[in-house]
Amino acid sequence: MAVINTKDLQRLESNPFLQMQKRLEKAAELIQLDPGIYRILATPCHELTVSVPVKMDDGSLRVFTGYRVQHSIARGPAKGGIRYSPEVSLDEVRALSAWMTWKCAVVNVPFGGGKGGIICDPRRMSQGELERLTRRYTANILDIIGPERDVPAPDMNTGEQTMAWLMDTYSMHTRAMTSSIVTGKPIGLGGSQGRHEATGLGVAFIVRESLRHLGMPSTGCRVVVQGSGNVGGLAALFLHEMGHKVVGISDMYGALHNDNGLDIPLVRTWLKEKGRLEGFPNADYIDNAQLLTLECEVLVPAATENQITSANAADIHAKVIVEGANGPTSAEADAILEARGVFVAPDILANAGGVTVSYFEWVQNRMGYFWEEQMVFDRMERIMVDSFADVVASAKKYATSQRIGAYCTAIDRVNYCLNLRGIYA
Ligand code: NAD
């Protein structure tokens, strides 16, 4: 057996695209995927790198690097968010685009997978600079996006306002108001009721289904949530409302811990007012590494990639991990968690509530007819519950983990469409 040194292991674990490929390879083997189809799915079908010049408020001109990657359009137009962060890299965007392909297939919505990102630090940019960045990036990727081509959405550090600028820029260029070019828009511009809550609520549904599946109590579990943004903050709120005890929650600076449970509505008000969790009363302030190893039944990593690795997987106390973030657990950590009997509801299932409601938004935009919030939540819940059952059945069929079970389900569905369409080779 080849021995891998610590540095190489760290490099492997911190490259999300290699991590995606490892899981793809394992699932492809289990379902005996045709090697040619495997080669198609192992790399994105389209990658665009753009230079984005922006006039800064001080009069200087800066040039940012942006990406839009389409991993697969076999099942429908590419679909996936746009991330603004100093940590964005082409391999990260590639991985995120592939995860979108698998995620859309797991919940069976008719989209392929895409993702975008710009290397920038939005915390150090004004609203005006962010608007000019978004508009010029949109203009630069205009040729490959469109309601039937590639439909962007928000991701880390982008939101409704970013989507409004993107939609406006696209509509100016095409000379037609095109609301279906993006999802996650403000409701006044054609956004869907419930999109804001969708990912966090979907995560809470998957926690509920996981506990039910394992025969664990449906209330009163100790829950730890990493991240308090759109996904983590809302997942924590819904789990609190379901009667669980959220004993830990973090932002990028640190984490709050109280064994008796945190008052999540108050934590969210504090965060909104102060901009960070630090200083919240009646809680210990700990770091993100300590947060992940707190005593709890359920852990929801909902911040960023590569948080649970070979370095800390053995120290995790949770019995159930429900992945709100994309790619929070490395393949090496998967093996450790599996051996310890930890139930992991994988990202491509657990955080798919967002893309499910994005699909509803796209449908509503194309119909020009809008649904009520309860209908959005009810339809999303049904899809999440059914998809959970599909993944559990697939894991059982192939005698594998829930993650690889989810990959098997997804790859099978993408492969089916590729075969129906035929390969234009
Ligand atoms: P967000 O920007 O709203 O929140 C991110 C949270 O993570 C914040 O609390 C931030 O402080 C924290 N954070 C950021 N970097 C961190 C780090 N290095 N260490 C610890 N904490 C850190 O983003 P979001 O929309 O909540 O997305 C979170 C994750 O969920 C991402 O992986 C994203 O791709 C994924 N996701 C989001 C959606 C969605 O609808 N927003 C859908 C599916 C998946």
Side-chain angles (χ1 to χ4, degrees):
M1 201 170 76
V3 179
I4 183 162
N5 68 40
T6 318
K7 252 193 169 157
D8 285 343
L9 181 62
Q10 274 171 0
R11 210 170 302 138
L12 179 66
E13 290 194 272
S14 63
N15 184 320
F17 188 55
L18 295 178
Q19 291 288 319
M20 186 290 294
Q21 285 180 324
K22 271 191 106 167
R23 274 71 173 252
L24 170 66
E25 200 179 317
K26 202 166 174 184
E29 239 177 69
L30 280 178
I31 66 165
Q32 296 181 326
L33 187 70
D34 175 89
I37 301 286
Y38 170 77
R39 280 193 287 277
I40 290 177
L41 297 178
T43 46
C45 67
H46 198 174
E47 299 181 350
L48 181 62
T49 301
V50 290
S51 288
V52 189
V54 177
K55 275 204 188 104
M56 306 303 281
D57 291 345
D58 65 4
S60 66
L61 192 66
R62 280 188 62 190
V63 181
F64 296 87
T65 301
Y67 307 104
R68 186 71 193 172
V69 173
Q70 296 164 350
H71 171 260
S72 169
I73 50 166
R75 300 182 73 256
K79 183 87 194 80
I82 296 173
R83 178 176 290 195
Y84 289 177
S85 157
E87 272 106 50
V88 163
S89 69
L90 185 53
D91 267 348
E92 182 187 58
V93 182
R94 283 175 173 147
L96 289 162
S97 72
W99 286 326
M100 287 307 297
T101 303
W102 313 136
K103 194 181 303 183
C104 292
V106 164
V107 286
N108 225 342
V109 296
F111 287 132
K115 204 81 181 191
I118 304 180
I119 306 171
C120 64
D121 190 348
R123 286 171 309 167
R124 293 169 193 275
M125 294 173 72
S126 69
Q127 279 290 99
E129 289 167 344
L130 287 169
E131 177 174 354
R132 294 192 287 281
L133 176 79
T134 304
R135 289 187 181 279
R136 182 57 195 261
Y137 168 74
T138 306
N140 285 5
I141 64 166
L142 203 86
D143 290 339
I144 66 163
I145 58 172
E148 303 280 352
R149 290 180 173 181
D150 182 347
V151 185
D155 193 71
M156 275 175 82
N157 299 322
T158 56
E160 289 186 354
Q161 180 60 72
T162 328
M163 295 305 110
W165 292 327
L166 199 157
M167 188 204 78
D168 182 68
T169 309
Y170 184 87
S171 299
M172 289 291 151
H173 280 269
T174 57
R175 303 285 190 263
M177 162 73 177
T178 315
S179 55
S180 53
I181 177 61
V182 285
T183 58
K185 299 175 288 294
I187 288 181
L189 291 176
S192 177
Q193 297 287 345
R195 175 61 186 89
H196 178 66
E197 296 82 359
T199 311
L201 183 60
V203 167
F205 287 146
I206 295 297
V207 170
R208 185 192 67 194
E209 293 306 299
S210 303
L211 294 173
R212 189 178 287 165
H213 172 72
L214 297 167
M216 289 170 69
S218 58
T219 57
C221 290
R222 291 169 301 174
V223 177
V224 168
V225 181
Q226 187 193 33
S228 46
N230 178 257
V231 183
L234 282 159
L237 182 66
F238 291 122
L239 289 166
H240 174 85
E241 285 174 359
M242 284 177 180
H244 295 295
K245 210 158 65 167
V246 180
V247 296
I249 188 164
S250 72
D251 60 18
M252 68 194 302
Y253 308 106
L256 302 177
H257 173 222
N258 183 339
D259 250 338
N260 298 319
L262 294 155
D263 186 328
I264 294 300
L266 277 186
V267 170
R268 283 171 56 76
T269 307
W270 175 275
L271 183 60
K272 209 168 166 194
E273 282 169 6
K274 315 272 180 193
R276 56 201 288 168
L277 294 171
E278 191 175 4
F280 183 79
N282 298 326
D284 296 329
Y285 192 63
I286 58 176
D287 62 34
N288 259 288
Q290 290 172 296
L291 175 96
L292 293 171
T293 58
L294 284 176
E295 291 283 348
C296 64
E297 280 73 45
V298 180
L299 173 62
V300 178
T304 187
E305 294 105 60
N306 201 32
Q307 297 301 299
I308 304 172
T309 66
S310 56
N312 63 0
D315 303 324
I316 290 201
H317 288 97
K319 294 175 181 59
V320 179
I321 298 179
V322 176
E323 296 182 335
N326 288 308
T329 311
S330 74
E332 293 70 19
D334 271 351
I336 298 168
L337 295 170
E338 205 180 333
R340 294 183 48 222
V342 179
F343 182 90
V344 180
D347 48 5
I348 56 174
L349 165 70
N351 67 37
V355 78
T356 301
V357 176
S358 275
Y359 164 60
F360 297 162
E361 182 174 332
W362 182 74
V363 168
Q364 291 170 75
N365 292 154
R366 285 150 58 98
M367 289 198 302
Y369 178 76
F370 291 88
W371 310 349
E372 285 170 11
E373 187 179 72
Q374 198 53 49
M375 179 158 142
V376 169
F377 289 150
D378 289 348
R379 289 185 171 183
M380 189 265 279
E381 181 175 5
R382 203 175 66 213
I383 289 179
M384 296 303 286
V385 170
D386 290 350
S387 304
F388 180 87
D390 287 349
V391 167
V392 167
S394 169
K396 196 170 172 203
K397 175 176 170 188
Y398 294 108
T400 186
S401 64
Q402 309 306 314
R403 184 184 314 285
I404 300 301
Y407 269 72
C408 290
T409 304
I411 295 164
D412 205 29
R413 289 177 181 164
V414 176
N415 182 39
Y416 174 73
C417 290
L418 274 173
N419 280 306
L420 281 180
R421 289 174 71 146
I423 308 299
Y424 189 6

